[in-house]
Every structure is written in structure tokens, then in C-alpha cells.
Amino acid sequence: MEAYQIEAKSLLQQLDTNAKTGLTNEEVIKRQLADGKNELAEKKKKTLFRMFLEQFKDFLVIILLIAAGISVVTGILTNEGLLDGIIIFTVVILNAILGVTQEQKANNALAALKKMSSPHAKVLRNGKTCEIASPELVRGDIVFLEVGDFIPADVRLIESTNFQTDEAALTGESQPVEKYAKQTYEETKPLAERQNMTYMSTLVSSGKATGVVTDIGMQTEIGKIATMLDTVEEGKTPLQKTIDQFAKILGVICIAVSVVVFVLGIMDLEHNNIFEIFLTAIALAVAAIPEGLTAVITVVLALGMQRMVKRNAIIKNLSTVETLGQATVICSDKTGTLTQNKMTVQRVFDLECEYTVTGVGYDTAGSIIYNDAPASITNNLDIMMKICLLCNDSKLEGTEKVIGDPTEGALLILAAKAGFDHDTAKEKYPQLNEYSFDSDRKMMTSINIIDDQNYVLTKGACDQLIKRCAYISFKGVVREITNTDKKMILSQNEAFSQQAYRVLGYAYQTTCEPMSKDLENNLIFVGLTAMIDPPREEAAEAIKLCHQAGIRVMMITGDHLTTAKAIASDLGILKPGHLALSGEDTEKMTDEEYEEAIMNCDVFARSTPKDKIKIVNILQKHGEIVAMTGDGVNDSPALKQADIGVAMGITGTEVSKEASNMILTDDNFASIVSAVEEGRVIYSNIRKFTIYLVSCNIGEILIILIAMVFSSTFHYVIPLLAIHLLWINLMTDSFPAFALGMEKQEEGIMSQKPRGSKEQLLNKQTLIKIFIQGIGLAVAALASFLIGISISGASVTQARTMIFLTVVFGELIRTYSARSETKYLFQMKPFANKYINYAVMFSLLLVLLLVYIPPFANIFGLEALTLGELAIAAGLGFVPFLFAEATKLFHSIDKNK
């Protein structure tokens, strides 16, 4: 049996403790040695060195390291290739440092958000009450709880008075939960319905209680969730999978091409030296690898992270930036994520008219309106507002903060909207007596002096309050209440309840005996209020944008189904014909029925942490990329399981922040849409510069291969050396590629459906584009070499310089075409991306300095060209651009199909 199923007296005996004296110091030490401290086990943090090593796990980086290693070895043996290897090593190391820096920045931002959740506890030891650090608690400790306290451990209540706790962080329940020490259960109850228990890290919202600690640390309900987190494995992001796949294909191409070249060279040993053939094969391996790709991706993702910080989102790892753009489903918690986590009165009924209350949450600038005009305060409204103001134990600090029960806080704000001043109320209407709320009566009464009369002001559950009423105030006249009146009131109460409102009734009378203990009879009923935790205003628009972008939004909450359905309908989450389920509905389903239901479900209420993980697993099984938002401890396992876990920075628990990939610093659901948009832009830009870089590598491979196959035509000369290829890959291509990564979003990016989870970065259509552009580059480059060596009679060095410059010019000019995969250059503003303009000018300046400054030219085996030769090289540089523009025909053809 669990603690909630055992009588308090029996449980105290089992725990060997005393409710009047508590534990002795000796017993505490003994139990601490046996059970340990009352704290959650922290996951070991990654060291900087481990973070650095993890940057080398990508297959593409491994290929680069192998190529660099071979280049260094051959360089040491032959004095050729050493510089190539050093350059590659330098690029890889800088890339790793950048990755570590960004990850560490995210960790520091996360650390800045952390707060202490339960630093102290009031406990009975050796017969005396004392305050201790909560980690010092042991099983069997007697603890005292009051308003504002965080529960320091799992506690079985022994005594309670009007005790309520806020369990939103643990169960998702938006309303304070009433707790009763005397309640016991024989049957098994879900966590949210155990009214004699309180749980670690939940908050006392009203009343006071005494209890005994039943579980500490990792044995608490929060501890069990933390254990569940450790069993959830984080998978690779779609981008990581795509890059890994691409790198493996590239590795095979490298080996295959190098072997083919080596074989071709051996077949013609008359004109080739075997060692030179080996060096050429290595050069081809270097040509096949886009050395700048990993660095460009890292930098572009890092810049995306920085932009997202400005848009209120902290991204904890680089790949999450891009993964957001692929999200197909957002599973969102309700309380505090889609709603404001602020109870708000939205409807008032004074028995004649139903009024709408404007202003949201703690906004006291609103008013009570009727038929689109400010309501005149009727007698019933006046009495109701005074009951809200005076029959109330909460306090309002300014317009921002309610101290005490959220429901009572909502009533104070309602009275303020009607023009009543909370700060002067107690002086203006002195209180003479009070009947506190309790769960049996389900009502509360305050006796105050109003206009020199003693008023009995009562609020409570409508069905209970109406039994105490003998009269009704209707159209300014007080008369006896009839059965018809009661039916009308209860019908309105039911109508509000069906819309998921929390309903309270209001009644009053005057008395000459204010200190009497029997004043809650013969009351005059005056009206009802209906309140709810309202949706965030910006959430509805964000959800609309999600649907427009082809993203499904699913609400998963621990709250009641009626409330969840009402909020989901308001926000446009619950679509016609789709399901709204609760945990109870699915308990008896088979796995097949459950899976089918989830795929057609928009709302899942009364969920448990296991439900959330199961739902995420089912969605992922069907190929969905799942983003899970949440702020509670109960959300954490699912946050970790999801492809993108999104935690709330303000209301979120530390466990949820640790489990997530991304943290919203403004707790705004709408910020997710901004992040998705940013992710899509980044992926689009990654595609652009990947096509740009890889097509250059294909062109380089074709240049070497064609020159080897038709070696006599090319005078048995390798047109480009490994060091030339490295310069093109790193110094010419990388800067424009960075600039392409800064390209602004193209029109309609949020009107497109998310790309499929199996969609490859380089799909069949993209590969065709890459090969066409590679062919264009090879044709222009080889033509330049042949013109130089055959027609103009240039030396081999000059011919190599011509082909080198043609490739450089070709790449720089082609950058402008690469700005869009679909639009031709004349359909865009050609020079709108200033970063491309800077990159092209900078790369052009570098290459001209390289060619025309002799010491540099000698190192790279180049030679200054004549003006005519330079013009030929530059003119042929437009050929790759024309081929790139031609590939956009594929999109036009597909669009017209």
C-alpha cells in the first residue's frame, strides 16, 4: 500500500515517528546515512574537453582529418602537401572551438535562469520547531506548511485547515487543489486525485497543514520523473542525420574517384610517375571534400542562435536551430503555455443580464460591459462587487501580482475593474466577523459595516449556496425565491460550467447580530461570476500560423477534459471531427486503438508523464518531427524524448529546462512560431550554400578526371594542384557561402508544408542541379586551360593560373545565382544581400593579391597573367553562372505539372 492509502496514525507508526515531538537528532543522522540527502541526483555536466571532442564525431569531419593526416605524412616525406594538411587541420580545430563556444554560451544562459526552488523547511525535531535546509529532511520528519511555502518533500498530511496547493508544475492542474488530512483511499488513485498528499516542489496556495515526510530525493514523485528522464535517449537531429548520410556518400566518392585516378595513372606509367599519381589521387580526395561546409554550417547555425536570443528563445545546441524548421507537430502543455496561468473573471450574471468583463489576467484597466457599452452598476452588481472585494483573503499588489488564492485574486481584480479600491476597502468597510471557507460548506462569509449597517457577504459553490437562500434580489426588488428562480440560476450555472468556467454564487443579508455563528441562512441571492485561466492573446494567431505552415498543434494537459476542450476550441486547436480524449478514456484501449486515436486526437487531458512519452513515440513512429512545449516537471520526460523540447524560462521548472533543447525567455507560445520560421530560413540557406559548395567540388573532380582521361589533350599536366583546390574550397567559396547563410527569408516560406522527415538535404533533383552546375564549372575551367596552353602559348604555370582564376571568378559570379533555388536573378534585387557583395569583393581582392604578389604566387605555383589572359579567365567565369540559372528551369517545370 502507498502512503495515501494508509490512515495517518498507522503511517506514523510505520515510519517510527511522533507527531508531537518529531524525530531526535540521533534518529535523523541514522536515516540520512541510510537514505541519503533529500535532493535530486544531478546529471554530470559535460567538461569543456568532452564538448570539444564531441565536435569530431561527424563523419565529414573524420574524412577531413584522414585527408589532412595523409597530406601531412606525404608532406613530411616529399615536402609536398604539408601546407595542405596544416590548413585542413586548422579549419577543423577552429570549427570545433566555435561549436564549443556556442554550446557553452547556451549553458551559461541556462544557468542564469536557475532559481532555488525549496531552500528551507519548517520541521519538528526534539519537540521543538526549527527551520532547516530542505536537503536535510528525512523520512518521518514532521513538517509545517503554510501559504507561500514550497513543499520540500512528498508529505502525507496529518492535520489541515482550508489547505490548497498549486500542483500545476507536477500534474498540469491549473486550479489550486483542495487537500484534506482525514481523507483516505482503499482503491488506487491517480496522482492528481490524492487529496491527503502533497508533493515536492508544489506550492501552498492557501491554508495551513502539518504532515509527515513519506519520501525524499529520488524516491519522490519528482524524483521518479527525473529517473524517467535518464532512461530517455536523445536521438540525432534531422540535420545531423542528413550530414552524416551525405558524408558517408562523400567518403565513398572520395575513395572511388581516388582509386580510379590511381588506376588510370598506372595504366600510363610512360608519362606518369607513380608517386605523382599518388599525390594526384590525394588531391582528388581533397577536391571531393567541401572543407568549408562544416565550418559554414556551424557559423550559420550559431548566427541563427544569436538571432533567436533576440526573439526570446535560448537554443541549447546548434542543430536544434535547423530542426525547428522541420517540425510537423507541436505538442503543447496548456497551463502557462497556451494560457496565462492567471484566473480571470470573464462573465458576470446579476439575474437579469449577462455581462462580459474586458481586460485580461492582471489587467485591471478593463471594465464590465453590456451590449458593447460600459455597464451601469445595478444594485445586484454593486453587492456582488462588494462581496468580491470584502469576502476575500487575498491581496493585490498594484496590477501585476496576486498574493494568495488565484480565484480570490481574480475577484479582487473584477472589483477593481468595476471601480472599487482594494487599498481603502478594509478601512471604508470594516470587518466585524468572518466564516472561513471549508470543503464541507463550500462557501465563505465576511460580515462588514456598509453604510452603517452590518452586511453578511457570502460567496460559494452555487449548488450549495442556493440551499441557504430564502430570497432573491430581482429587478431591484427583494422577494422570496421560487423553484422557477432556482431552476433559472442552476441552468445558468450549468451553462457556464459547460464552457469550462469555474462558477461562484453570491448572496447577502443584513443583521443586528454580527458576531452570531449562524448567519449563513435566509440569504438573498444576487448573482454568479464565471472565471477561467484565459488563453494567451497571441497564442490563437500563433496556432493559425502553425496550421498555415502545415504544422499540427496538439494540446496535452493534466487538466480536466472540459476545460481543455474549451481552451482548445477558443484557440482553434480542436478541429471538427477530431478527438478530444482524457487519460481515463484510453486506459482500456489496445495499443492499436490507442495509436489510431492519437493520430486523430487534438486534445489529450488528464495526461500522465508516461502518456506524454507514449504520445510522442507514436507520432515519431509515424514519421512526425515533434516539438513538445511545457513548463512543469511532468513535461520533462516528453521534452527530452521529443525532437525539439521547448521549456518556459519564467514559469518553467529547472527539471524541464534541463530536459529541453530550447527555452523561451518570455514564456510566449508565439515565440515558437518565430523559431520555426527562423529554422526554415536557416535550412533553406543551408541547402543554398551546400548546393553551391558541393557543385564546386563536383566541378573540381570533373576537371581532374577529364584531364587524366584525356591526358594527351592536356599535355599530360594536372590542371589544378591540391593547394589550388584548398584555396578555392576554403578562401574563395567559404566567404560567399557564409554570406548565403545570411540570406533573408524568401516570400511564402511559412506557407509551405514542413519537409518530410526522410527528405534528404541532397535529393535526386538537387543532385541533378549540382552535377549540371559542376559540369558548367568544369567546361569553363578546362576551356580556359586549353586556351592558355594551346592557343595563347602560355606556360604550364600561366595555364594553371588561368584555370585557377576561371574557377574563382566562376564561383564568385555564381554566388548571385545561388541566392535562390527558384527565382532567376532578374526576378530578384541582384545586390540586395550586402554580405554577398562584401564576400565577393573580399575574395576577389585576396585572389588578385595571391596572383600578383610574387612571393605568394611562388608558394602556390602561380604566375601573373597578362590583361588579355585575365580577361579570358574572367569572361569564362560567367559560364557557370549561366548553367546555375538554367537549373532553375527544373522548378518551373515541376510547378507547371
Side-chain angles (χ1 to χ4, degrees), residues 490-501:
L490 292 173
S491 174
Q492 185 64 54
N493 178 59
E494 180 64 19
F496 282 145
S497 297
Q498 288 294 324
Q499 298 173 63
Y501 285 115

Side-chain angles (χ1 to χ4, degrees), residues 55-68 88 91-92 95 236 239-254 285-298 689-690 693-694 697 761-762:
Q55 306 299 316
F56 299 94
K57 289 196 301 186
D58 289 345
F59 197 74
L60 192 60
V61 175
I62 292 169
I63 292 174
L64 282 173
L65 290 173
I66 292 169
I88 297 173
V91 170
V92 171
N95 181 60
K236 286 190 173 183
L239 180 64
Q240 288 171 326
K241 291 175 186 174
T242 302
I243 294 296
D244 279 355
Q245 195 175 34
F246 168 63
K248 286 169 186 173
I249 294 169
L250 205 58
V252 172
I253 292 172
C254 277
V286 170
I289 301 168
E291 286 84 359
L293 182 60
T294 51
V296 175
I297 288 175
T298 302
F689 65 65
T690 301
L693 291 173
V694 175
N697 291 102
L761 185 66
L762 302 179

